[in-house]
Amino acid sequence: IVFGDWSSDVCSSDLMLESELGDKKAQNNPWEEIGFFKPIAGFWYNLFFTLINLALGAIISGVFLNYLLPFPESMGYRTAIMGIFVLMFTIFDLGTHMVIDRYIAETRIKDPDRMMKLIQYFIWYQMCTGLVQTTAISVYALFVVPETELAYGIWIMLIAASLQYPGFLGVFHAILQSLQHFNKTAILGFIHGEIFQRITEVGFILLGKWYGENNPQIGMIMGIAIGAAIGTYVDDFIAMILGAYFFADVMKNQGISVKRCFMVEFSWNDVKEPFFFGLKTGLPGLMGAFTGFLSLWLSLRYIPQYTTFSTLFAFEIGRASCRERV
């Protein structure tokens, strides 16, 4: 009974201390207050960018789509080849599944030092497992695929392998999302998705189209597919740099730098709980990844011109979604 009373008093004092700490932070910065106002504010803040996205999407899909993508197979090849490895990517990402969403916001308040260790763990886990994935896919593409009906997709597979390294390019955007800085994530998402991604993707599509026209061994269809795959990879580096800038701006009052995110200060005891949390929350998703992989493989194997039909279907779904939003 005495022990129970003592533990109750300690818990009560800890809660009071955290409450007082939160009140002081809220007085210094109203954004630190706890409430549903952050998601609501994020929705209204992002509404302006959403309207711009709809307008740009309508222009690009209606005016430039026929010129940029005269052959639906180009996007179908890229989507199908990259979809083959989704199950593999999901398995290797289990160790960090939902870790940022679960721990970053909490540890920023309770223990910023542990927050940095978790960020470091995420980055290094993704880099190390990315090396394994890149190597495995490259070996498969170079030595196995040439003897199969997917030989046309070797270069796209190699690009898909490259996407897994360094593997952490979206980490700063995810951190800002977890910390509920929705104003910065809205700006970052718009600049990344509607400016840099459009520029790099369109630029590399045109480059691939030109190269394919002048090199019959590649052809225009595969040239566009390869160019589009490269474009989506290049813009992720630009997004990471911009996300790191916003992260540094948010953390400067706490003396936390971007450089520290790439250090190794964590131990197994620091990351054991997040690691097993990722396994437990990510394992159920493997069933969906497996069924999706099996469905894609059977479709490629038994449906003639599947890449063309799937792309046309995706275009129509996108247009219908735009009409519903409008």
Side-chain angles (χ1 to χ4, degrees):
I1 297 176
V2 173
F3 179 77
D5 293 339
W6 175 80
S7 62
S8 177
D9 293 339
V10 172
C11 292
S12 299
S13 62
D14 289 343
L15 291 175
M16 292 177 61
L17 182 61
E18 291 183 9
S19 178
E20 292 176 359
L21 181 61
D23 293 340
K24 290 181 180 180
K25 288 185 177 181
Q27 292 176 0
N28 297 330
N29 184 5
W31 188 256
E32 298 292 343
E33 294 183 5
I34 298 175
F36 193 64
F37 71 95
K38 291 183 180 180
I40 295 296
F43 168 79
W44 289 110
Y45 192 92
N46 193 48
L47 183 61
F48 172 73
F49 297 106
T50 302
L51 295 176
I52 297 179
N53 291 343
L54 290 174
L56 291 177
I59 294 174
I60 293 175
S61 62
V63 178
F64 297 107
L65 191 59
N66 291 333
Y67 177 74
L68 293 174
L69 300 172
F71 307 102
E73 296 88 345
S74 298
M75 298 305 294
Y77 288 159
R78 188 190 72 169
T79 303
I81 295 300
M82 291 187 172
I84 293 175
F85 303 106
V86 168
L87 178 60
M88 179 183 181
F89 299 158
T90 303
I91 293 174
F92 276 92
D93 287 343
L94 288 178
T96 55
H97 185 264
M98 296 294 293
V99 167
I100 289 181
D101 294 332
R102 166 63 181 85
Y103 291 98
I104 295 302
E106 176 187 356
T107 54
R108 188 191 72 86
I109 297 175
K110 295 182 177 180
D111 190 355
D113 186 63
R114 188 179 182 224
M115 179 194 73
M116 292 305 302
K117 292 180 180 179
L118 293 178
I119 295 174
Q120 295 169 2
Y121 161 69
F122 183 94
I123 290 176
W124 281 95
Y125 179 94
Q126 291 294 326
M127 283 198 295
C128 292
T129 57
L131 283 176
V132 177
Q133 296 174 73
T134 300
T135 303
I137 295 174
S138 299
V139 171
Y140 172 74
L142 293 174
F143 297 101
V144 178
V145 174
E147 305 299 327
T148 69
E149 66 273 12
L150 295 176
Y152 63 88
I154 293 177
W155 280 106
I156 301 179
M157 289 184 183
L158 294 176
I159 297 171
S162 301
L163 293 174
Q164 295 306 303
Y165 190 83
F168 62 83
L169 298 180
V171 63
F172 295 111
H173 184 277
I175 293 171
L176 293 171
Q177 187 76 18
S178 177
L179 297 178
Q180 296 187 334
H181 285 275
F182 298 118
N183 58 332
K184 288 182 170 54
T185 57
I187 296 174
L188 178 60
F190 177 78
I191 295 176
H192 170 220
E194 298 301 327
I195 298 179
F196 290 119
Q197 184 173 349
R198 299 290 188 189
I199 293 175
T200 56
E201 191 170 7
V202 170
F204 278 97
I205 286 176
L206 294 176
L207 181 62
K209 182 180 179 181
W210 169 82
Y211 187 85
E213 285 179 326
N214 293 276
N215 295 272
Q217 68 273 24
I218 298 295
M220 189 185 300
I221 294 178
M222 289 304 301
I224 293 174
I226 295 172
I230 296 175
T232 55
Y233 181 46
V234 172
D235 76 275
D236 287 342
F237 285 93
I238 302 175
M240 186 206 70
I241 296 173
L242 187 60
Y245 171 79
F246 284 137
F247 173 82
D249 182 63
V250 170
M251 293 298 172
K252 63 182 179 181
N253 294 330
Q254 298 185 6
I256 295 175
S257 65
V258 174
K259 181 179 178 181
R260 189 182 172 190
C261 295
F262 298 93
M263 298 179 180
V264 181
E265 301 173 334
F266 59 90
S267 63
W268 171 244
N269 291 330
D270 297 318
V271 303
K272 179 171 62 175
E273 180 186 348
F275 176 77
F276 286 108
F277 175 82
L279 291 180
K280 290 186 290 186
T281 57
L283 283 175
L286 285 181
M287 182 58 68
F290 175 75
T291 55
F293 165 77
L294 185 61
S295 175
L296 175 62
W297 189 266
L298 292 175
S299 298
L300 290 173
R301 185 70 179 83
Y302 296 106
I303 300 178
Q305 297 300 316
Y306 170 76
T307 54
T308 302
F309 297 142
S310 62
T311 303
L312 294 175
F313 176 75
F315 286 158
E316 290 304 317
I317 291 295
R319 292 177 179 178
S321 177
C322 290
R323 288 194 295 267
E324 290 178 359
R325 292 181 181 180
V326 174

